[in-house]
Amino acid sequence: MALFGALFLALLAGAHAEFPGCKIRVTSKALELVKQEGLRFLEQELETITIPDLRGKEGHFYYNISEVKVTELQLTSSELDFQPQQELMLQITNASLGLRFRRQLLYWFFYDGGYINASAEGVSIRTGLELSRDPAGRMKVSNVSCQASVSRMHAAFGGTFKKVYDFLSTFITSGMRFLLNQQICPVLYHTGTVLLNALLDTVPVRSSVDELVGIDYSLVKDPVASTSNLDMDFRGAFFPLTERNWSLPNRAVEPQLQEEERMVYVAFSEFFFDSAMESYFRAGALQLSLVGDKVPHDLDILLRATYFGSIVLLSPAVIDSPLKLELRVLAPPRCTIKPSGTTVSVTASVTIALVPPDKPEVQLSSMTMDARLSAKMALRGKALRTQLDLRRFRIYSNHSALESLALIPLQAPLKTMLQIGVMPMLNERTWRGVQIPLPEGINFVREVVTNHAGFLTIGADLHFAKGLREVIEKNRPADIGASTAPPPSTAAV
């Protein structure tokens, strides 16, 4: 009985599992670029280390070491890797720190003071970032583990009491080494949980695409790391801004990412594009009305000649009234992705009428249009752009086959009108694109689009258009003090 209960719960969980409409994979190829940019930022953060004053006495000697500042940092050897449990692990070995501090020594009635340059060598740091999904669906650094050690320190003491300092140097530098160890991990913890999270806050989760629709890029589960990549599953669903709680059920094929040759891969399922088109349909955007001078002149003449008999029979008095051509999509368009290409199928009504001033319009004909568009996707910067092209076009009457035959002469002019008048307007909007969930300052370059059965993938490399320091400083949160205090330091002495 327990077995059947467990099976039922597993099936129930599977039934409620949400497939992603968009996936992103960051491969190990990107880590070298990320490490170079990250280390530049980390060096600047570690140079802000504040070391407490060191005071004490040894016999009749009283000493005070104060105003300790990091003057330089050299990270000679480092590795950044994915780890299945920790997500991202940074290891720094054999680094060195340059220090400058003020010395004060009192021996009986004799006083000596001044500034000293010192160095900390054999600095080792091992820190791991644990990534997770927060309640809003945003990726966050949820935990930072840290181990840090300084193997040796050297201070060039001089002055009146040089021999005394040489006697006390081992004691003083050991104390400074201990204090330095205790300060490295808190800086790394603050960098991960506050500053890197400020960077991740620039990734859009639910945002407006334009004045009609928005997009939901919330994570559907925690990021998953292997030894060679980091995978993130996003909902990837559009929605009308007037119906923010509306959602299209995702019945599309789940995108699959297998490649690892480029720095990053992005996959989009048919659901991603279907939700966009249905959102615009529900927002009332998929309709077009051309009246009077807006109707191409040649088409206006052809339509009046075609329906001249109907005009005379219905209302000859309005024969010179402006012509109206209205296109209205009847159902949400659907996207089909195959290895051979991507197509969009559209069914719309075409209504032809005369619009006399201050009188009800006179409908001349109503027909149905089936169109198939080819779609080419491209990634520019961090925007997914689409170029549409009208491939197949057919009009027919819902009333009779005879009327459908009569519409054949209109097919070529209407197709030309769509290609010249409608497609440029569509492409002007689709080429603006929609932003991909990337942090501010990072763009895609050298992208390659590959079609599969039910989804497409885009492989690309990454480019830092802005430095991490610039982006983080722009989005740095106010100092929240104790609320971001790290756990007890695990620094090794």
Side-chain angles (χ1 to χ4, degrees):
M1 190 66 180
L3 179 61
F4 285 111
L7 181 60
F8 174 75
L9 290 175
L11 291 173
L12 188 64
H16 286 83
E18 184 176 6
F19 287 153
C22 170
K23 286 187 174 185
I24 294 182
R25 164 172 289 182
V26 181
T27 72
S28 55
K29 298 285 195 305
L31 291 184
E32 185 62 31
L33 177 67
V34 173
K35 184 184 75 173
Q36 292 173 6
E37 189 65 32
L39 286 179
R40 279 195 291 268
F41 176 73
L42 187 59
E43 286 179 1
Q44 295 169 333
E45 287 301 306
L46 288 174
E47 288 176 359
T48 65
I49 287 177
T50 301
I51 300 175
D53 294 351
L54 182 65
R55 297 184 180 89
K57 60 176 293 187
E58 188 72 17
H60 296 292
F61 291 98
Y62 294 84
Y63 59 87
N64 180 26
I65 304 298
S66 60
E67 301 178 25
V68 183
K69 294 182 179 179
V70 177
T71 57
E72 63 175 334
L73 174 64
Q74 294 184 354
L75 305 178
T76 55
S77 177
S78 59
E79 293 291 336
L80 182 64
D81 300 293
F82 292 120
Q83 288 198 357
Q85 298 301 321
Q86 196 67 44
E87 267 81 13
L88 208 56
M89 181 65 68
L90 174 65
Q91 297 186 72
I92 298 172
T93 57
N94 202 30
S96 62
L97 286 168
L99 302 169
R100 181 174 176 81
F101 59 87
R102 182 185 181 192
R103 74 181 190 276
Q104 292 173 294
L105 177 68
L106 181 65
Y107 178 67
W108 291 99
F109 299 108
F110 299 97
Y111 171 81
D112 182 54
Y115 287 90
I116 295 179
N117 293 323
S119 63
E121 300 173 350
V123 179
S124 296
I125 301 172
R126 178 182 173 89
T127 184
L129 301 181
E130 190 174 323
L131 304 174
S132 63
R133 171 187 180 274
D134 74 1
R138 187 184 299 277
M139 185 167 68
K140 288 287 188 181
V141 177
S142 55
N143 191 32
V144 177
S145 64
C146 178
Q147 291 182 331
S149 65
V150 179
S151 62
R152 56 193 178 276
M153 282 198 66
H154 173 72
F157 289 104
T160 307
F161 295 104
K162 181 178 184 302
K163 292 185 178 180
V164 176
Y165 278 122
D166 288 341
F167 172 74
L168 296 173
S169 63
T170 301
F171 177 78
I172 294 175
T173 56
S174 295
M176 289 186 60
R177 183 163 61 92
F178 174 81
L179 294 175
L180 183 59
N181 282 333
Q182 297 301 306
Q183 296 304 311
I184 292 176
C185 282
V187 169
L188 293 176
Y189 183 86
H190 180 267
T191 300
T193 58
V194 177
L195 302 185
L196 287 184
N197 277 335
L199 176 67
L200 293 176
D201 283 343
T202 65
V203 177
V205 175
R206 282 180 68 90
S207 59
S208 298
V209 176
D210 53 27
E211 70 280 2
L212 296 174
V213 305
I215 189 166
D216 184 348
Y217 275 129
S218 57
L219 286 167
V220 298
K221 63 179 182 180
D222 288 339
V224 178
S226 68
T227 55
S228 58
N229 55 64
L230 176 69
D231 288 339
M232 294 160 283
D233 292 359
F234 298 91
R235 187 160 186 269
F238 291 77
F239 57 89
L241 293 180
T242 56
E243 301 177 78
R244 291 181 176 271
N245 295 324
W246 173 84
S247 62
L248 178 69
N250 186 352
R251 300 185 179 91
V253 174
E254 182 177 359
Q256 302 296 320
L257 289 171
Q258 306 295 336
E259 301 91 345
E260 295 183 356
E261 289 76 24
R262 306 296 291 272
M263 290 185 182
V264 64
Y265 288 89
V266 189
F268 303 96
S269 72
E270 292 174 345
F271 166 80
F272 180 88
F273 302 102
D274 285 348
S275 69
M277 292 183 289
E278 181 142 349
S279 295
Y280 280 107
F281 177 79
R282 296 176 71 92
L286 303 185
Q287 53 187 311
L288 176 67
S289 182
L290 302 176
V291 181
D293 294 340
K294 299 296 184 180
V295 179
H297 181 67
D298 292 343
L299 181 60
D300 184 286
I301 295 174
L302 179 62
L303 291 175
R304 289 180 186 275
T306 301
Y307 294 102
F308 181 77
S310 299
I311 296 173
V312 171
L313 290 174
L314 291 172
S315 183
V318 300
I319 193 169
D320 294 325
S321 298
L323 192 71
K324 176 182 178 182
L325 181 64
E326 184 178 76
L327 285 78
R328 185 184 298 271
V329 175
L330 299 176
R334 285 293 175 255
C335 173
T336 303
I337 303 175
K338 297 180 179 179
S340 57
T342 302
T343 58
V344 177
S345 299
V346 183
T347 299
S349 66
V350 180
T351 302
I352 301 169
L354 291 174
V355 188
D358 304 321
K359 292 182 180 179
E361 64 181 48
V362 178
Q363 181 174 311
L364 302 178
S365 178
S366 178
M367 64 195 83
T368 301
M369 176 191 77
D370 285 341
R372 181 166 294 181
L373 315 176
S374 67
K376 293 184 178 180
M377 314 300 174
L379 213 50
R380 298 289 187 271
K382 64 178 66 177
L384 176 67
R385 305 176 185 232
T386 305
Q387 179 76 28
L388 298 172
D389 188 21
L390 181 61
R391 290 300 183 186
R392 293 177 59 184
F393 174 82
R394 181 173 71 98
I395 55 174
Y396 58 92
S397 171
N398 291 323
H399 305 297
S400 68
L402 185 61
E403 188 175 351
S404 295
L405 289 173
L407 294 175
I408 292 177
L410 294 178
Q411 185 141 319
L414 283 175
K415 183 177 181 180
T416 302
M417 185 272 294
L418 289 174
Q419 289 174 323
I420 296 175
V422 177
M423 296 306 298
M425 289 190 294
L426 284 177
N427 282 320
E428 190 276 330
R429 172 60 196 88
T430 59
W431 196 246
R432 277 187 252 158
V434 58
Q435 185 177 342
I436 304 303
L438 275 183
E440 182 181 340
I442 302 177
N443 291 333
F444 293 109
V445 293
R446 296 181 290 276
E447 70 284 347
V448 176
V449 181
T450 305
N451 278 42
H452 305 271
F455 64 95
L456 61 85
T457 61
I458 303 177
D461 292 331
L462 294 176
H463 169 69
F464 280 90
K466 298 179 181 178
L468 282 180
R469 167 66 57 185
E470 179 184 354
V471 177
I472 289 176
E473 286 297 334
K474 174 184 173 183
N475 298 279
R476 181 189 287 266
D479 186 11
I480 51 180
S483 62
T484 58
S489 175
T490 58
V493 180

